[in-house]
Amino acid sequence: MRRRRSPLAPSPLQVGLSYLALGLASVFVLFPLYWLLITSFKLPIDVNSGPFYLPWVDFKPSLHAWEYVLGTLGPDVRRAYANTAVVALSSALLALFLGTSAAYALTRFQYRPRVGAVVLFVACLGFVVALVALGVPWPAAVGLGLAVFILGLQTLGRRFRRHLSNDDIALWLISNRILPPVVVVIPIYLLFQQLGLLDTRTALIISYTVINVPIAVWLMRDYFQNIPPDIEECAQIDGASRYRIFWTIVLPLAAPGLVATFLLLLVFSWNEYLLALFLSKANSQTMPLMVAAMSGTRGTEWWYMSVIIILMILPVVLLALVLERYIERGLIVGAVKG
Amino acid sequence: MGERVRLKEATPRREGVWVRLVAWLERQASAFFLLPTVLVILAFVLFPLVGSLYSSLSRLRFSDGGLELSFVGLANYRKVLLGSEQIHFLGQPGAIGWVMGVMGLLALGIGVVMYRRYRAGRPVWTWLGQPLLGGLLLLGFAWLFLSRLWPGTHMGTLQTTLFYVLVGTALQYLLGLGLALLCAERLPGTRFFRVLFILPLAITPIGVAYMFRMLTDTGKGPLVPLWEALGWGGFFWVNDPWGARLAVLIGDVWQWTPFAFIVLLAALQSVPQEQVEAAAVDGASRWQIFRHIIFPYLLPASATLVLIRLIEGFKIVDLPNILTNGGPGTATESITLHAYFAWRTLDIGTAAALGFLLMLLVSLVTSLYAAWVLPRARGQV
Amino acid sequence: MINKSLRWWTFLVLLLSFALAQQGRFQGVSINVLTFTGPQIAEPLRRHAAAFERATGARVNVTVVPFSDLYQQILTDATTGTNSYDAWIFAPQWMADFAPAGIMEDLTARVRADTAIQWNDIAPFFREFSATYGGKILTIPLDGDFQMVYYRTDVLRQLGLQPPRTWDDYLNIAQRAHGRDMNGDGRPDFGSCIAKKRNAQSYWMFMSILGGYVQSQGTRQGAFFDTRNMQPLVKNQAFAEALRVYKETTRFGPPDELNLDVGDTRGLFTSGRCALSIDWGDIGPLSIDPQTSKVKDLVGAVILPGSRRVLDRNTGNLVNCTPQLCPHAINGVNHAPYAAFGGWSGGINAKVSAPKKDVAYALFSYMSQPAQANKDVTIGITGFNPYRISQFRDIQNWVAAGFSEAGARNYLGAIQQSLNSPNMVLDLRIPKAQQYQQVVLDRVLSEYLAGQLTIAQAQEQIHNGWEEITNAEGRQKQLQAYLASLGIGAR
């Protein structure tokens, strides 16, 4: 099934205008990157004494920054690189998996959590916090809170009839992203300290997964909504289980969305700074820390920083090159289905 | 041999368990799809939330053996809203005659809308509830914003943040939509552009900020000759509040337009090509096709995208921090940066109070958005 | 004959056993040291740590975080009981927060027992003020930080002017030099480059200007608060005059000076675009580095300019210097060099095990000993500036590093003059010092420079902001901390 050419063939003028717009946008995107690239080959004195644009014409390119970053800093950079790759890939996959299933659930099932139950839950939570603050050991407090909650759910919870909807759940999920990280970073630090996970990749993977899941849910929800449910219904009649339908029918149909979402989740964890700063000491430092580190008391070392940023972009570019085609493939499936 | 026989005998019973298990899993599918996410979030979000809420009500001290949080009630909030940080946060209002005029017009507009709703026979509590509340909120925002635009007044971190978020989100959406539409046209070479336009996302926000610091340098930046050729040699963006804000905004747009681009590009793939072609055959113009066929398919994704960018945009911190450190004066300082500055000196109480005020603000904006825009965009109204 | 060789053998055996003992001294102990990233500080730390490991058998792990987050990292790690770092290299200014939190090991006894460190070779200011808090030695100095004024010798010669002695001289030179092409690229250059970026180093530059107006009777007089009642020394003519001078320098600076931090001004100065600059000791070694500099041998340094009129603390007015009022004045000008930041120092976590403390102390002592330190301060990349008396004696050390002899003498002369000044201004070292300086002073200064505030409004806001913090923390407590930092009897 090859794509057919649209009968609405654009006129040469329209094509020209399109390319003009694309070209302008490319300049806007590329020029900063070009500047980054040539800065990585400049000596400090060439950076500081005025704009120079063309290597070999304006200034003599030098490999000093690359030598420093890959040589002197080599072990640090390699470690940070490995950390970043492991953490970003794992957390992006985890968040994608969790988020996709939750998004599917929120588009295909009706949830009706009772307001009473939610309020009760929050109240019990406050109860537990108060207990812990009063010095009760936390496992006991959590157990007690849970008991009260279940008890309350059986009795009180049934008396309140108002329901929340799927949209409310989705909104609650995304609302977890509202608070700026600066505010929560110290409690998070304490949390992982208690869990004994400071300075491990696990801590970063967990945090990034939690932070990014809501985004995955929201993005995937829209892609699922555009997939008509009839195919699934047919499959269900044929006796396929929900899980099977999800895995073999829905996910392939949502491939463009999955790829786009995965790319986004990946770059979010790839680039995160503040939590990485706090949750890692020596072993699990990631690349964004290396970038920030190039600004010391001597001022910013633009040449080194440029090298590190370029090193950071490269794998993402490669991945985007590989995955980009899948954003389109969904269209073919869509055409089959249509 | 005997073993195999026994195994064969055992199979039916095992299958029974298996079948029952499958059936149970099938019945509980709705829970199994959603619960993991909810539980993971609950487990790792609640403690930080409660912890930071408590720290916003306390002051940090160092005493022998470590740090100590002493409870101070609402003192941190008072300081930000009424005390020494008030002008920093809320700005310095000025001559407000014309502001009152504009506000009056706005109020009138809202009044008319509400009256029409009332006449249309909507239940009383509805028009007393959401629209009234929303209207008042809108009026409040408008006043906070407009009264700080007069010469001699200046904006606080609240207004600056709102400016970044509202203008930035709009620009990112429009640019991202334009680029996505261009790239969805099957012109030769669009694959190259697709990858290209995703690139800015791949750079860590701190890196983007440093990069723009380099680019916008008024002494050794690459744009200096261009700037001078345009005859603007005497204007330096860093010394001008709006110039500096614009620089921050451009950096923000540069980095986040790709987000809109990639989401919309993926959403465009769900537009049924047959409908588009049929309409084209029927002689519909490109604008008509976009407006009536393509755009409706983009609406849900657009609504989500804008919501996410609204929420994320409010947290803008790296760009103003690195580009201008909030300067000149406090002109480019966002609320998160304000909190960050306090936090860096371990004034955790003030930082948390600012964070929760921001949360309040974002929740208001989000609820308005969720109540008015989302259902329409998703075709539920 | 036999006797002689026996003696040799005994000597050899003794030497060997001593070396072996040294070798095993810290065998199997490993410590984590935290400092900030960047070639500076981390480079010499890693280099010396490697040699130290070979000599003692200890393991030294160096962790680095960005400079702007170092303070936070040390405090969160140590006060939450995580204690993943055994020692830190940090700014002694932070001691005011670290010491009351009880996270700093008292090093007094160790220093007293250590002859190799040559404690008395360290300049008195760093020994008595920088390393000491409340009568105890808490840090080992590895670096000497205070600000100076740098000038272009060639530009001043062309203009027929002398290096600045007062801030009026400074403004005069800046005005005359502003707009000249000073590096031959055909573009007009700037009279004065001062880092004025917000939330960076700008408030230190301002304090450098203020010092000469406000402190005249020696370090113990203090430049931030009245030592009698903790009233800020803000609402007075001295502060107003310093604000005026500070803003005036902007007229002769780069147009985007409000957005320059010290890295930018250093770049501008070493690429030959500025006639004057206020900076730490770094410009000296940077100016001889061919990778960064166009001004090799064209840079002069001088003690921070001062004032002929100083603050009368009873009236709040500026009055002419008298021998009683300005006992340390030079030719009638009161100089008050400013030990901004205080110089990188090593401190040890009080909560870690004794062997780790021993290793950490031995490492810092090793790094500070003249054999290591005197070479480090001549190397630009270390970021270490002179702080030992012996570092001024051996000019050859500096010539070997690339200075011309005259250049080295001039640079060291300015440092020595500052270091020997009994009127050095000590940086603010009381609890919440960061809030006084970074939150209040820094913000108000930037709003003043941006034209949002007048001089009087700026003074008012700084005064109120500082009073608010003082009152919240407790005036008496803050006053005593302030007195303790100035070395006045810890009551």
Side-chain angles (χ1 to χ4, degrees), chain A residues 3 14 19 26 28 47 53 98 111 177 213 221-222 225-226 241-243 271 273 295 317 324 327, chain B residues 25-26 30 37 186 188 191 193-194 199 201 204 206 210 220 222 254 270 286 304 312 315 378:
Chain A
R3 210 192 301 131
Q14 281 167 335
Y19 275 119
S26 308
F28 181 59
V47 174
Y53 300 88
L98 286 173
Y111 294 91
R177 284 191 66 99
V213 153
R221 211 156 68 109
D222 292 321
Q225 229 160 32
N226 281 341
S241 79
R242 274 284 180 187
Y243 306 96
N271 293 331
Y273 171 74
S295 181
V317 174
E324 176 272 339
I327 297 185
Chain B
L25 280 175
E26 187 67 19
S30 66
T37 301
R186 329 224 157 272
R191 275 201 61 192
F193 291 111
R194 284 176 185 211
L199 277 188
L201 264 186
T204 179
I206 289 185
Y210 277 112
K220 50 189 193 283
W254 190 85
S270 66
R286 284 162 77 92
T304 300
E312 300 298 305
K315 294 190 287 187
R378 299 174 154 274

Side-chain angles (χ1 to χ4, degrees), chain C residues 99-117:
Chain C
I103 64 174
M104 296 212 56
E105 173 78 357
D106 180 359
L107 305 178
T108 316
R110 288 174 205 263
V111 169
R112 296 272 177 264
D114 185 359
T115 49
I117 196 169

Side-chain angles (χ1 to χ4, degrees), chain C residues 329-405:
Chain C
I330 304 164
N331 299 328
V333 176
N334 176 54
H335 293 275
Y338 178 39
F341 195 69
W344 293 97
S345 306
I348 298 173
N349 190 339
K351 305 272 178 60
V352 298
S353 69
K356 283 177 186 278
K357 288 178 186 168
D358 292 341
V359 174
Y361 177 80
L363 174 67
F364 290 146
S365 167
Y366 174 76
M367 286 178 71
S368 183
Q369 288 162 17
Q372 282 67 247
N374 291 9
K375 184 126 261 133
D376 284 347
V377 291
T378 64
I379 308 172
I381 199 170
T382 62
F384 288 159
N385 298 139
Y387 62 98
R388 280 177 175 273
I389 295 159
S390 60
Q391 287 161 351
F392 303 101
R393 296 222 187 96
D394 191 6
I395 293 281
Q396 277 320 305
N397 225 348
W398 297 85
V399 174
F403 274 93
S404 70
E405 191 160 329

Side-chain angles (χ1 to χ4, degrees), chain A residues 50-96:
Chain A
F52 296 120
Y53 300 88
L54 300 168
W56 291 289
V57 180
D58 276 349
F59 67 94
K60 205 170 141 292
S62 149
L63 283 174
H64 80 108
W66 288 85
E67 279 162 7
Y68 176 76
V69 171
L70 298 177
T72 317
L73 278 186
D76 288 2
V77 170
R78 275 193 293 278
R79 194 181 50 196
Y81 219 78
N83 286 335
T84 313
V86 170
V87 168
L89 281 171
S90 336
S91 69
L93 284 174
L94 264 175
L96 188 68

Side-chain angles (χ1 to χ4, degrees), chain B residues 336-348:
Chain B
T336 313
L337 188 57
H338 188 172
Y340 180 67
F341 284 161
W343 176 82
R344 254 182 62 172
T345 62
L346 278 183
D347 187 356
I348 291 173

Side-chain angles (χ1 to χ4, degrees), chain A residues 11 16 31 46 57 73 75 84 87 111 190 212 235 239 241 257 286 319 322:
Chain A
S11 70
F31 184 73
D46 293 322
V57 180
L73 278 186
T84 313
V87 168
Y111 294 91
L190 291 172
N212 285 335
S241 79
T286 56
L319 204 69
V322 173

Side-chain angles (χ1 to χ4, degrees), chain A residues 80-92 204 208 212 262-274 276 285-291 308-319, chain B residues 199-206 255:
Chain A
Y81 219 78
N83 286 335
T84 313
V86 170
V87 168
L89 281 171
S90 336
S91 69
L204 289 179
Y208 294 167
N212 285 335
F262 175 70
L263 269 180
L264 286 172
L265 296 178
L266 183 82
V267 296
F268 283 153
S269 349
W270 189 264
N271 293 331
E272 203 281 338
Y273 171 74
L274 197 67
Q285 285 197 338
T286 56
M287 288 298 276
L289 295 179
M290 300 289 296
V291 174
I308 295 184
I309 295 177
I310 291 169
L311 288 178
M312 271 193 80
I313 306 175
L314 286 178
V316 183
V317 174
L318 289 180
L319 204 69
Chain B
L199 277 188
L201 264 186
I203 306 180
T204 179
I206 289 185
Q255 170 144 50

